[in-house]
């Protein structure tokens, strides 16, 4: 089988299409013919050598969390899926035995990890992590959901937002940002989205964002958001200076959910302001398999149409990562083996 493997951790030029033996499914596993696999900044960080998960001794490495396709074969003991089923993978890997796996949510698992291997013609996965796709939900659309939309959905739920509330999403043109404003619209939650690109903000408006602010400077954004209103919550996938910004603009008792650090791994906040105003900072990683099943249902019902910017054949996977690295796009980039 062909794979788009990372052969060097140097960025997009480190991707090569190479042949690997087609795996055989073991007990509890399923083999899927991958029709689509979206890419994420998680993959790009690995490719750029910025992730502690992978080092040069692990190369060549096949990444790709968000795979969708058709079941080709199953191993012993598999009952939930059969050859010919159309499926999308929930990339969560959990131990199944710790207190968090028992009590939930599963993404608190003490041994939590993520599946990699979707950037290939065939993927061998845990069969009980596969979700059936209803008629009308194609593989490319399904592959957009597992990381960005799953993360954003879980964050919005943790923010305890209700219809009519206002959520602030700085950097709303990234994968999680786009997903957050689209899902907020589905939930009846009003949103403020920011971007450095006026044209991207126009697209965000078409996707359902209620208010847009052009710019990246926290001081400018603080003033502009204040002119619009006082957010009940903040979806923060940037970290860095945007954490302090989010705390400043939220109402008393507001909730900021944090899932990323693309703007910086550390943030400086005013502790006195935090406790005097009863605001909360909540960490969040990915979501649960039940969350992903709900997202598939929203797509099937016509309530959610994930934004897909571009699709690429397997031999142009490097181009997909170059586009992500250059921040040229708005929405998901999907490789279609």
């Amino acid at each position: 089988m062909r794979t788009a493997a990372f052969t060097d951790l140097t960025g997009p030029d480190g991707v090569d299409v190479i042949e690997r033996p087609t795996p055989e499914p073991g007990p509890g596993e399923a083999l899927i013919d991958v029709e689509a696999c979206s890419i994420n900044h998680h993959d790009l960080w690995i490719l750029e050598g910025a992730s502690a998960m992978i080092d040069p001794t692990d190369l060549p490495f096949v990444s790709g969390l968000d795979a969708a396709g058709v079941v080709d074969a199953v191993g012993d003991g598999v009952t939930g899926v059969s050859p010919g089923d159309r499926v999308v993978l929930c990339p969560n890997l959990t131990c199944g035995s710790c207190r968090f796996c028992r009590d939930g949510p599963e993404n608190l698992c003490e041994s939590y990890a993520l599946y990699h291997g979707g950037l290939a013609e065939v993927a061998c996965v845990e069969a009980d992590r596969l979700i059936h796709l209803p008629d009308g939900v194609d593989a490319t659309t399904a592959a957009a959901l597992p990381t960005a939309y799953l993360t954003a959905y879980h964050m919005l739920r943790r923010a305890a937002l209700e219809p009519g509330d206002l959520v602030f999403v700085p950097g709303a043109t990234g994968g999680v940002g786009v997903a957050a404003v689209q899902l907020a619209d589905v939930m009846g939650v009003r949103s403020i989205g920011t971007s450095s690109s006026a044209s991207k903000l126009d697209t965000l408006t078409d996707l359902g964002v209620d208010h847009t602010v052009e710019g990246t400077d926290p001081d400018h954004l603080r003033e502009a958001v204040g002119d619009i209103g006082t957010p009940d919550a903040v979806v923060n996938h940037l970290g860095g200076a945007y954490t302090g910004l989010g705390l400043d603009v939220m109402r008393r008792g507001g909730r900021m959910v944090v899932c990323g650090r693309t703007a910086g791994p550390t943030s400086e906040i005013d502790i006195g302001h935090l406790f005097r105003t009863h605001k909360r900072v909540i960490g969040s990683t990915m979501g649960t398999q039940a969350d992903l099943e709900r997202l598939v249902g929203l797509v099937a019902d016509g309530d959610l149409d994930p934004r897909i910017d571009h699709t690429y054949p397997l031999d142009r996977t490097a181009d997909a990562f170059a586009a992500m690295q250059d921040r040229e796009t708005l929405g998901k980039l999907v490789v279609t083996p």
Side-chain angles (χ1 to χ4, degrees):
M1 67 173 184
R2 295 190 310 147
T3 67
F6 298 172
T7 55
D8 203 351
L9 302 181
T10 55
D13 61 353
V15 180
D16 289 295
V17 175
I18 65 174
E19 289 283 343
R20 275 190 164 179
T22 300
E24 293 289 335
E29 294 180 335
L31 213 61
I32 60 171
D33 292 326
V34 180
E35 294 182 350
C37 181
S38 71
I39 63 171
N40 300 281
H41 276 281
H42 172 90
D43 305 295
L44 182 60
W45 288 328
I46 294 173
L47 182 57
E48 292 175 334
S51 172
M53 290 180 52
I54 304 297
D55 63 49
T57 63
D58 298 312
L59 303 181
F61 176 77
V62 180
S63 196
L65 288 66
D66 301 346
V70 178
V71 176
D72 178 69
V74 298
D76 292 341
V78 173
T79 58
V81 293
S82 303
D85 288 352
R86 299 174 55 253
V87 293
V88 62
L89 174 69
C90 177
N92 291 348
L93 296 178
T94 56
C95 71
S97 59
C98 72
R99 56 175 292 196
F100 301 106
C101 285
R102 293 195 306 269
D103 299 338
E106 64 172 341
N107 53 330
L108 282 176
C109 173
E110 294 171 351
S111 303
Y112 185 82
L114 293 167
Y115 171 84
H116 299 86
L119 291 173
E121 291 178 322
V122 177
C124 188
V125 304
E126 293 184 4
D128 60 5
R129 286 297 180 186
L130 293 173
I131 296 170
H132 290 271
L133 294 181
D135 292 340
V137 180
D138 64 87
T140 300
T141 301
L145 296 173
T147 296
Y149 284 81
L150 178 60
T151 297
Y153 181 68
H154 197 74
M155 293 175 78
L156 291 169
R157 293 186 67 207
R158 298 207 68 193
L161 287 159
E162 298 180 354
D165 282 351
L166 180 64
V167 63
F168 173 43
V169 186
T173 52
V176 172
V178 171
V181 297
Q182 282 193 279
L183 287 165
D185 186 52
V186 172
M187 298 166 63
V189 172
R190 297 173 298 130
S191 60
I192 304 171
T194 76
S195 174
S196 60
S197 167
S199 62
K200 287 185 177 181
L201 289 176
D202 289 340
T203 302
L204 278 186
T205 300
D206 294 338
L207 294 175
V209 74
D210 296 279
H211 306 279
T212 60
V213 179
E214 184 178 353
T216 58
D217 178 66
D219 291 331
H220 165 65
L221 298 180
R222 185 178 293 105
E223 181 178 351
V225 170
D227 290 340
I228 295 169
T230 306
D232 299 282
V234 176
V235 168
N236 178 6
H237 65 97
L238 300 175
Y242 294 92
T243 304
L245 166 65
L247 285 170
D248 288 345
V249 301
M250 282 194 306
R251 69 162 175 84
R252 294 178 67 85
R255 293 84 59 195
M256 176 164 56
V257 188
V258 184
C259 77
R261 53 180 176 81
T262 53
T266 61
S267 300
E268 184 174 318
I269 63 175
D270 184 335
I271 298 298
H273 173 77
L274 176 68
F275 66 73
R276 284 194 302 268
T277 57
H278 301 267
K279 296 176 181 178
R280 282 172 279 171
V281 179
I282 305 166
S284 186
T285 296
M286 294 290 282
T288 68
Q289 187 157 333
D291 289 335
L292 183 54
E293 289 170 350
R294 294 185 187 102
L295 290 172
V296 171
L298 288 175
V299 175
D301 292 341
D303 295 320
L304 175 65
D305 184 15
R307 165 77 183 188
I308 296 171
D309 188 278
H310 203 74
T311 61
Y312 298 81
L314 192 69
D315 58 7
R316 289 189 57 208
T317 301
D319 293 339
F321 281 111
M324 176 175 283
Q325 190 178 59
D326 293 342
R327 302 183 183 276
E328 299 173 351
T329 58
L330 190 155
K332 295 297 294 178
L333 303 175
V334 182
V335 175
T336 54

